[in-house]
Amino acid sequence: MPNEKNNLNSTSILILDSDTALETTQSKADLVWHEIQNAYRTKRILTGMLGGIEKTETGSLIAIAYYKEFRAVIPVTEMMINLPQDAAHDYGELALRQNKILNNMLGCEIDFLVKGLDTPTRSIVASRKDAMLKKRQIFYLDKDSSGIPKVHEDRIVQARVIAVAEKVVRAEIFGVETPILARDLSFDWMGDARERFHVGENILVRILEVQAENPEKISVRADVKSVEGNTSIENMKKCKVQGKYAGTVEDIHKGTVFVRLSIGVNAIAHSCYDARTPGKKDDVSFVVTHIDEERNVALGIITRIIRSNI
C-alpha cells in the first residue's frame, strides 16, 4: 500500500480557512524557479546574498549566491573583482587575493544575471559582472529628460556595504565599488569602522565625484559624514576650558591620543598623567586646556585611565 503521507498535495489538505489555498514548500519552490526562469529569459537582474566560496574539482574558485534558497554559481572571473595589475602575473597570489576579498564580502547583497539554467537539477550559473555593467549603463551613462544621469555629483544615494576593515568601508554604489576611508565616514573620531558598519547593510552616501567614460571605466568617490552632518559643532558649545570630561580612546598615532568625549566632542591628548599607557577603547578622564575652533577639536590632557580595555 503506498505511503499516504508521501501522496499528500495541497488540494487534499483540509485547512482552517477553506477559501485559501495552502502553499506547500514544493509549490513555493516551483514559483521561485518560475521567477528565475523568467529572469533568465528577460535578462532581469536578481539580487541575492553571497553565501559561500568553493573550489571546483579543477581548482577554480567559485562564489555561491543564494536567491530565495536557490543556489547560483558565479565563477570568480564573473565576480568583477578588480585587482592591481601587478598581481596578474602570479596566478597563485591572484587566487589568494581573490579568495581574501570574497571572504570579506561573505554575507553581502550582490546583483547577478542568470547565464544558464539546468531545469532537472535546478542549478543556476550566473554573472555578477554582467549585472554590474548593466547597472552602470542605467545609472551612470543613460541620461534623464534633463540630460543628467541618475547618479551624479552631490546626490545622496543608497549604497551597499560589501566589506569592512578597521579604517575603510567598501561600498557598492549601483554597480560601482568604491572605498570610503574612516575620515570620510564620520566627523566623530572613529578608531574602528567595524564597530559602526557591517557587511550586508545599506547606508546613505553623498556622491562627491564621478568619472564615467564607459561601463568598464567608471570611478566614484563618496562620503557618509556629509549626509549625517557634524554634531560636534553644536556639542562644542558644551565644552569649557579647564572642564573635565569622560571619554573613550578611539585611536593612537605617533604618540597622539584621539579621544571621543562623552559630550560628543572630538579631543586630542598630547600627554597622560596616569602611570599606565592609554590604549584603544580605554575609558579616560580628560581635562580640556584649549579649544581649536578652526578644527573643531578640544585639546587637553588625560588625567586618569578610568577603565582599561584589556
Side-chain angles (χ1 to χ4, degrees), residues 234-301:
E234 191 62 30
N235 291 339
M236 189 61 81
K237 295 173 184 175
K238 308 172 193 172
C239 190
K240 307 296 180 189
V241 173
Q242 294 306 315
K244 186 180 283 187
Y245 307 97
T248 303
V249 175
E250 291 294 339
D251 208 356
I252 301 168
H253 183 67
K254 294 182 178 177
T256 301
V257 183
F258 297 87
V259 180
R260 181 68 180 169
L261 301 183
S262 58
I263 57 172
V265 169
N266 292 333
I268 293 175
H270 292 290
S271 57
C272 175
Y273 287 167
D274 198 298
R276 296 165 293 175
T277 302
K280 285 183 73 170
K281 295 303 161 192
D282 284 359
D283 291 332
V284 297
S285 175
F286 184 94
V287 171
V288 176
T289 58
H290 178 69
I291 293 173
D292 185 334
E293 292 181 0
E294 191 176 325
R295 291 193 299 159
N296 203 50
V297 172
L299 307 176
I301 299 159

Side-chain angles (χ1 to χ4, degrees), residues 7-73:
N7 290 332
L8 291 177
N9 57 53
S10 57
T11 58
S12 68
I13 302 169
L14 185 62
I15 60 174
L16 294 172
D17 186 350
S18 56
D19 293 330
T20 305
L22 180 68
E23 268 197 317
T24 63
T25 303
Q26 183 60 46
S27 65
K28 285 179 184 176
D30 290 342
L31 283 171
V32 175
W33 183 251
H34 183 63
E35 184 188 350
I36 291 168
Q37 288 177 312
N38 279 337
Y40 176 48
R41 281 194 292 268
T42 60
K43 293 183 169 56
R44 180 167 66 87
I45 293 172
L46 296 177
T47 302
M49 187 193 73
L50 181 62
I53 308 158
E54 297 176 3
K55 274 190 177 177
T56 63
E57 291 177 1
T58 59
S60 300
L61 207 60
I62 57 171
I64 309 299
Y66 288 94
Y67 181 77
K68 298 179 182 178
E69 306 304 320
F70 279 96
R71 167 188 162 105
V73 171

Side-chain angles (χ1 to χ4, degrees), residues 6-301:
N6 293 335
N7 290 332
L8 291 177
N9 57 53
S10 57
T11 58
S12 68
I13 302 169
L14 185 62
I15 60 174
L16 294 172
D17 186 350
S18 56
D19 293 330
T20 305
L22 180 68
E23 268 197 317
T24 63
T25 303
Q26 183 60 46
S27 65
K28 285 179 184 176
D30 290 342
L31 283 171
V32 175
W33 183 251
H34 183 63
E35 184 188 350
I36 291 168
Q37 288 177 312
N38 279 337
Y40 176 48
R41 281 194 292 268
T42 60
K43 293 183 169 56
R44 180 167 66 87
I45 293 172
L46 296 177
T47 302
M49 187 193 73
L50 181 62
I53 308 158
E54 297 176 3
K55 274 190 177 177
T56 63
E57 291 177 1
T58 59
S60 300
L61 207 60
I62 57 171
I64 309 299
Y66 288 94
Y67 181 77
K68 298 179 182 178
E69 306 304 320
F70 279 96
R71 167 188 162 105
V73 171
I74 306 176
V76 71
T77 52
E78 293 298 316
M79 279 297 292
M80 208 161 186
I81 295 172
N82 297 320
L83 291 170
Q85 292 300 314
D86 59 355
H89 68 281
D90 185 341
Y91 179 76
E93 185 190 347
L94 178 66
L96 199 67
R97 292 175 71 177
Q98 287 173 331
N99 194 25
K100 186 178 179 183
I101 289 169
L102 286 175
N103 265 307
N104 290 336
M105 289 174 65
L106 277 175
C108 77
E109 265 190 356
I110 60 169
D111 297 317
F112 60 86
L113 280 173
V114 177
K115 304 295 287 181
L117 293 174
D118 183 56
T119 301
T121 60
R122 291 197 165 178
S123 55
I124 306 162
V125 177
S127 168
R128 180 183 182 232
K129 179 180 179 180
D130 286 1
M132 290 177 78
L133 291 175
K134 186 174 181 178
K135 288 188 88 169
R136 289 178 177 198
Q137 180 67 45
I138 294 166
F139 290 94
Y140 292 88
L141 297 170
D142 293 346
K143 294 178 173 59
D144 61 19
S145 56
S146 59
I148 301 172
K150 288 184 175 68
V151 177
H152 55 79
E153 286 179 20
D154 205 39
R155 184 164 193 187
I156 295 172
V157 303
Q158 202 170 38
R160 291 177 181 146
V161 175
I162 59 169
V164 185
E166 187 180 15
K167 298 293 184 187
V168 65
V169 166
R170 191 156 190 86
E172 188 230 308
I173 306 171
F174 296 98
V176 179
E177 290 184 16
T178 187
I180 305 177
L181 301 179
R183 64 171 178 265
D184 293 322
L185 293 171
S186 176
F187 284 103
D188 304 349
W189 294 147
M190 186 183 296
D192 193 338
R194 291 169 295 194
E195 293 181 358
R196 287 264 304 271
F197 298 91
H198 307 283
V199 170
E201 72 174 324
N202 294 330
I203 58 173
L204 292 177
V205 302
R206 187 186 301 277
I207 304 298
L208 302 177
E209 185 183 359
V210 179
Q211 292 185 341
E213 295 179 28
N214 56 58
E216 296 275 0
K217 291 188 71 176
I218 297 179
S219 62
V220 177
R221 195 165 59 84
D223 80 351
V224 178
K225 67 181 185 181
S226 69
V227 179
E228 292 185 345
N230 190 354
T231 56
S232 293
I233 295 173
E234 191 62 30
N235 291 339
M236 189 61 81
K237 295 173 184 175
K238 308 172 193 172
C239 190
K240 307 296 180 189
V241 173
Q242 294 306 315
K244 186 180 283 187
Y245 307 97
T248 303
V249 175
E250 291 294 339
D251 208 356
I252 301 168
H253 183 67
K254 294 182 178 177
T256 301
V257 183
F258 297 87
V259 180
R260 181 68 180 169
L261 301 183
S262 58
I263 57 172
V265 169
N266 292 333
I268 293 175
H270 292 290
S271 57
C272 175
Y273 287 167
D274 198 298
R276 296 165 293 175
T277 302
K280 285 183 73 170
K281 295 303 161 192
D282 284 359
D283 291 332
V284 297
S285 175
F286 184 94
V287 171
V288 176
T289 58
H290 178 69
I291 293 173
D292 185 334
E293 292 181 0
E294 191 176 325
R295 291 193 299 159
N296 203 50
V297 172
L299 307 176
I301 299 159

